[in-house]
């Protein structure tokens, strides 16, 4: 109930803020009252000029530079390059909180969405208190973008209520209150909502496409979404078959996540694949989202998260982590293709922590042989994974420039998230703002500069 009350208060505050903005906008236009001008939705949109543009923020959760290194070895080889490597701008990322040096997913996402430091328990709030963004506004960068008429979208390979997307629309005291997060996302009304989490959109006991609903309030958010003009899809095939006239889409591709983040042994025992075959990949969802958002001929903010890179790493599943990383890199390739035709768009890619502390180990020592099972642990006791999990043969790299494939193991430091080893990468408009060392609050600033044509610490008033 507490989260529901917080959500209601939040929605009322946003409505009041929107109404105030509309009044101020009319008053700010010389002669507007005499001319009888009326503000319509989207009228306040900043023009799509070289000073403003669209932003695609991609958060491959838990994916530190060491995970990208292992993926490069596996997919491109020691001399090859990933799509991630093609991003020209780069900075070291610092992601500490007000009460910890390592970010939680919900606090990290809140910082990206609001541009200010918060404690670990925060989800769209400053702990449990209202939060003011770095711009001085009482809403996230996504909600502020909506207020000036931009299109917006959320894409997640996990449940759409995961913090990496959810914190841009929702404010809750408990990050586990998925039902309230789902409601606030729908109430925020982004044009694109694609991910898992069907259960949080349906009443308790109601049969969905992927499972049974879990909403205790009895509301059917899928029916409500249709009433609000959303096309609703549930599978990769349905997403691909969307008509090119669709301007709002809700995709729910799993009851919870679209992946099964368990250890290799647990997946084998249960007969489960790492990712649900019926669900689109993060790259396929990104491609569909860009198509829908581009139809509006407006600037847009698209927030994307590959959640599997974090969850598989936290399960110390190297095979699953590499599959999640491969999908993340495919999504980057999709966005790079979009940037080639849109010079006023920016791509920013970063994680907020390094999940599992993954390290790739290649060696000429006798213990690392292509066809021999790896030791279960390294000399210091760190658990090691081969291509099929514990005590399996090592991974083999893609060929190097001489055609050789080399064995490597993956060792894990922890089941938790860790600090350090995280980079910010960028391409497109304003990518030069990404350099040196950037704090997590600066991700917001880079996005804000591109969306609104000014730093968040200034105003657009003369």
């Amino acid at each position: 109930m507490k989260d529901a009350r917080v959500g209601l208060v939040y929605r009322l505050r946003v409505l009041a803020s929107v109404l105030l903005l509309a009044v101020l906008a009319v008053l700010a236009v010389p002669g507007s009252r005499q001319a009888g001008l009326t503000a319509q939705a989207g009228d306040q949109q900043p023009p799509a000029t070289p000073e403003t543009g669209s932003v695609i923020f991609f958060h491959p959760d838990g994916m530190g530079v060491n995970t990208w290194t292992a993926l490069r070895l596996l997919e491109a080889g020691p001399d090859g390059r990933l799509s991630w490597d093609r991003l020209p701008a780069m900075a070291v990322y610092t992601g500490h909180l007000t009460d910890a040096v390592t970010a939680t997913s919900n606090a990290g996402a809140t910082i990206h969405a609001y541009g200010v430091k918060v404690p670990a328990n925060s989800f769209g709030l400053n702990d449990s208190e209202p939060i003011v963004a770095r711009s001085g506004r009482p809403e996230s960068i996504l909600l502020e973008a909506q207020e000036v008429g931009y299109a917006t979208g959320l894409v997640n390979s996990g449940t759409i209520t995961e913090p990496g997307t959810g914190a841009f629309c929702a404010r809750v005291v408990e990050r586990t209150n998925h039902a309230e997060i789902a409601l606030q996302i729908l109430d925020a009304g982004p044009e694109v909502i694609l991910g898992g989490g069907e259960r949080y959109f349906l009443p308790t006991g109601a049969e969905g496409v992927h499972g049974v609903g879990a909403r205790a309030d009895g509301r059917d958010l899928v029916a409500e979404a249709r009433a609000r003009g959303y096309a609703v899809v549930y599978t990769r095939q349905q997403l691909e078959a969307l008509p090119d006239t669709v301007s709002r889409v809700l995709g729910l591709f799993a009851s919870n996540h679209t992946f099964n983040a368990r250890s290799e042994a647990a997946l084998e025992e249960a007969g489960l694949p790492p990712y649900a075959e019926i669900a689109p990949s993060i790259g396929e969802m990104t491609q569909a989202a860009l198509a829908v958002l581009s139809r509006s001929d407006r600037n847009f903010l698209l927030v994307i998260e590959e959640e599997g890179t974090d969850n598989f790493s936290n399960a110390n599943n190297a095979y699953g982590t590499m599959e999640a990383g491969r999908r993340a890199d495919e999504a980057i390739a999709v966005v790079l293709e979009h940037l080639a035709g849109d010079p006023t768009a920016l791509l920013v890619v970063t994680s907020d922590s390094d999940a599992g502390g993954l390290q790739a180990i290649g060696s000429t020592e006798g213990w690392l042989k292509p066809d021999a099972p790896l030791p279960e642990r390294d000399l210091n006791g760190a658990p090691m994974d081969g291509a099929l999990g514990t005590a399996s043969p090592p991974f083999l790299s893609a060929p190097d420039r001489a055609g050789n494939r080399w064995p490597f193991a993956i060792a894990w430091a922890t089941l938790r998230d860790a600090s350090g080893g995280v980079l910010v990468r960028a391409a497109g408009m304003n990518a030069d703002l990404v350099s040196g060392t950037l704090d997590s609050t600066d991700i917001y600033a880079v996005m804000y500069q591109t969306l609104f044509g000014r730093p968040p610490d200034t105003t657009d008033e003369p």
Side-chain angles (χ1 to χ4, degrees):
M1 287 297 296
K2 186 175 182 181
D3 278 333
R5 289 195 298 271
V6 169
L8 177 60
V9 171
Y10 169 53
R11 289 191 286 274
L12 290 174
R13 285 176 175 169
V14 169
L15 177 60
S17 179
V18 171
L19 292 173
L20 178 60
L21 274 177
V23 171
L24 291 175
V26 172
L27 293 176
V29 178
S32 61
R33 284 174 291 177
Q34 290 81 353
L37 296 180
T38 57
Q40 301 295 325
D43 281 353
Q44 300 173 63
Q45 178 200 357
T49 69
E51 288 74 41
T52 65
S54 298
V55 172
I56 300 128
F57 175 52
F58 182 34
H59 185 257
D61 196 9
M63 204 164 179
V65 67
N66 38 5
T67 308
W68 286 108
T69 297
L71 183 69
R72 184 187 305 109
L73 291 172
L74 184 64
E75 294 293 315
D79 300 308
R81 295 293 181 267
L82 300 167
S83 295
W84 181 76
D85 293 309
R86 294 167 53 200
L87 303 179
M90 180 168 57
V92 173
Y93 176 95
T94 60
H96 58 285
L97 310 176
T98 60
D99 59 354
V101 296
T102 301
T104 60
S105 291
N106 44 296
T110 300
I111 294 170
H112 293 156
Y114 289 84
V116 294
K117 292 290 187 182
V118 293
N121 288 332
S122 305
F123 193 121
L125 296 165
N126 187 348
D127 195 3
S128 60
E129 299 299 320
I131 185 172
V132 175
R134 185 168 169 177
S135 67
R137 301 298 302 277
E139 64 270 314
S140 73
I141 191 170
L142 184 144
L143 297 178
E144 188 171 347
Q146 286 183 332
E147 287 186 358
V148 297
Y150 287 162
T152 58
L154 304 177
V155 172
N156 205 316
S157 66
T159 169
I160 197 64
T161 57
E162 274 293 309
T165 44
F168 282 80
C169 287
R171 300 181 175 196
V172 293
V173 176
E174 298 293 339
R175 67 170 289 182
T176 55
N177 194 346
H178 296 282
E180 176 63 22
I181 297 167
L183 175 59
Q184 290 189 36
I185 288 174
L186 184 60
D187 281 348
E191 281 79 356
V192 174
I193 307 171
L194 300 177
E198 181 195 30
R199 65 198 308 259
Y200 305 121
F201 285 74
L202 295 174
T204 300
E207 287 290 340
V209 173
H210 304 292
V212 179
R215 295 193 61 84
D217 62 5
R219 293 179 67 170
D220 184 341
L221 300 190
V222 173
E224 293 184 28
R226 286 197 176 98
R228 300 182 194 195
Y230 283 89
V232 182
V233 293
Y234 296 96
T235 67
R236 172 190 290 111
Q237 187 176 15
Q238 290 176 354
L239 183 65
E240 292 174 346
L242 275 176
D244 59 10
T245 55
V246 167
S247 59
R248 301 172 74 82
V249 58
L250 169 64
L252 298 170
F253 305 113
S255 178
N256 196 47
H257 301 319
T258 67
F259 50 81
N260 301 297
R262 309 181 192 180
S263 69
E264 296 95 331
L267 288 179
E268 183 177 7
E269 182 179 352
L272 292 172
Y275 280 80
E277 296 176 2
I278 196 173
S281 69
I282 195 72
E284 291 165 335
M285 284 189 269
T286 296
Q287 189 167 44
L290 288 170
V292 172
L293 293 174
S294 297
R295 285 178 199 137
S296 72
D297 199 29
R298 293 177 283 159
N299 286 340
F300 61 82
L301 171 59
L302 174 61
V303 180
I304 310 164
E305 179 169 64
E306 173 52 65
E307 179 64 19
T309 44
D310 183 66
N311 290 27
F312 279 112
S313 292
N314 289 146
N316 284 184
N317 180 335
Y319 172 80
T321 300
M322 291 299 96
E323 173 61 19
R326 183 186 66 78
R327 289 165 176 251
D329 199 57
E330 286 183 352
I332 292 174
V334 168
V335 178
L336 284 174
E337 184 176 353
H338 175 83
L339 293 184
D342 185 356
T344 62
L346 168 70
L347 168 64
V348 178
V349 180
T350 193
S351 176
D352 57 23
S353 62
D354 176 20
L358 180 155
Q359 294 289 341
I361 305 173
S363 173
T364 58
E365 298 174 12
W367 65 272
L368 189 60
K369 298 178 180 179
D371 300 322
L374 293 169
E376 292 188 16
R377 294 184 178 272
D378 202 359
L379 296 176
N380 67 345
M384 287 201 299
D385 271 349
L388 300 176
T390 305
S392 69
F395 291 90
L396 284 179
S397 74
D400 64 14
R401 61 169 53 100
N404 298 310
R405 302 185 68 189
W406 303 106
F408 67 95
I410 284 179
W412 298 99
T414 178
L415 291 169
R416 307 174 189 272
D417 293 339
S419 296
V422 177
L423 295 179
V424 186
R425 303 295 297 264
M429 180 182 176
N430 287 337
D432 59 328
L433 297 176
V434 174
S435 64
T437 299
L438 290 182
D439 185 69
S440 52
T441 57
D442 295 324
I443 302 303
Y444 174 97
V446 171
M447 294 192 291
Y448 199 97
Q449 174 73 51
T450 305
L451 288 170
F452 302 107
R454 64 183 189 278
D457 310 291
T458 65
T459 70
D460 57 354
E461 297 175 357

